[in-house]
Amino acid sequence: MTIRVLVADDQALVRGSFRILVDTAPDLTSVGEAATGTEAVELARREKPDLILMDIQMPGMDGIEATRQITAAPDTSAVRVLILTTFDLDEYVFAALRAGASGFLLKDVTAERLFDAVRVVAAGEALLAPAVTRRLISEFTRLRPVPGGVPSAALSALTPRETEVLRLVAEGLSNPELARRLVVTEETVKTHVSRILATLGLRDRTQAVVAAYESGLVVPGRERG
């Protein structure tokens, strides 16, 4: 299956470079370019891409608001958003993850890393680099506590094992690591994760990580090893 990718960035050179890279991969194809958040939302509605490479700082509507609108709208909620950023600990990246983005990449990413990231996110795995994403989320929940997130009543609907899986996902463990820790198969881990997402009404693993921190299930700096 070919993965359809939209590129959104206010710099024409950056847009063009990523679009050319995307089109060199046999299983990826670009379906358009957006120079603003507004254009990204409009093209997402029209083209229904599988994934958007989204810059954060764009004129008018920024990438955060564009991400929020795209992931919240019924007709584009299935579209995955992969944030493009210059710094991996940019506070705006965390805001984008909270808005519904599935992960992030540095703009100086290699072609192979870009291809792998697009494939992973398009497949719904979402958490691209658990250790880095965990560090980012931990840092900004520590420095800038935010209200909201998944209410404790929703968390109580999880079984004890699902709660444990959510905690370990938030700590940055991959499926193979989870399987080894819990002494179960990877297929069982995937089943647990799917049930957690369905129960809590979350779109992917990245949102599960954010929810675990914001609900207090995992406290930054106190993760278990």
Side-chain angles (χ1 to χ4, degrees):
M1 179 182 295
T2 300
I3 300 171
R4 304 172 71 253
V5 180
L6 172 67
V7 181
D9 195 292
D10 65 335
Q11 298 183 45
L13 184 59
V14 173
R15 288 198 310 275
S17 296
F18 275 105
R19 185 168 188 174
I20 290 171
L21 275 178
V22 165
D23 285 332
T24 63
D27 58 336
L28 310 181
T29 186
S30 60
V31 295
E33 299 179 18
T36 67
T38 300
E39 287 182 10
V41 173
E42 293 172 350
L43 281 172
R45 289 171 179 162
R46 187 169 75 233
E47 299 295 337
K48 300 295 191 301
D50 298 303
L51 180 142
I52 300 176
L53 293 174
M54 181 82 76
D55 186 26
I56 292 178
Q57 298 186 39
M58 293 184 285
M61 182 190 297
D62 63 17
I64 297 172
E65 179 57 28
T67 296
R68 183 177 294 111
Q69 291 191 19
I70 290 167
T71 59
D75 58 338
T76 53
S77 61
V79 177
R80 303 284 176 175
V81 176
L82 187 53
I83 293 297
L84 297 173
T85 182
T86 305
F87 304 105
D88 69 349
L89 280 182
D90 188 328
E91 64 180 288
Y92 297 111
V93 174
F94 179 61
L97 293 176
R98 292 193 71 242
S102 294
F104 66 95
L105 283 176
L106 296 180
K107 287 189 176 182
D108 61 358
V109 65
T110 64
E112 286 307 314
R113 174 61 176 151
L114 171 68
F115 301 155
D116 289 344
V118 168
R119 291 164 185 147
V120 167
V121 171
E125 292 300 318
L127 206 54
L128 302 178
V132 175
T133 303
R134 177 182 62 181
R135 179 164 57 92
L136 179 141
I137 293 175
S138 295
E139 183 69 11
F140 288 103
T141 49
R142 180 187 295 112
L143 296 177
R144 299 167 179 265
V146 288
V150 174
S152 56
L155 288 177
S156 67
L158 300 177
T159 66
R161 175 48 66 94
E162 289 168 351
T163 300
E164 178 69 4
V165 170
L166 176 57
R167 183 181 292 110
L168 294 175
V169 166
E171 290 177 15
L173 272 67
S174 64
N175 282 352
E177 291 169 335
L178 276 165
R180 289 193 294 272
R181 176 75 68 88
L182 300 175
V183 196
V184 297
T185 66
E186 286 188 45
E187 199 60 40
T188 297
V189 169
K190 291 179 181 178
T191 297
H192 282 314
V193 172
S194 295
R195 288 176 178 170
I196 290 167
L197 298 180
T199 299
L200 300 182
L202 303 171
R203 58 187 276 113
D204 56 37
R205 290 171 68 108
T206 298
Q207 302 309 302
V209 173
V210 173
Y213 278 104
E214 292 186 345
S215 67
L217 180 64
V218 175
V219 178
R222 298 183 188 174
E223 298 92 339
R224 296 179 302 175

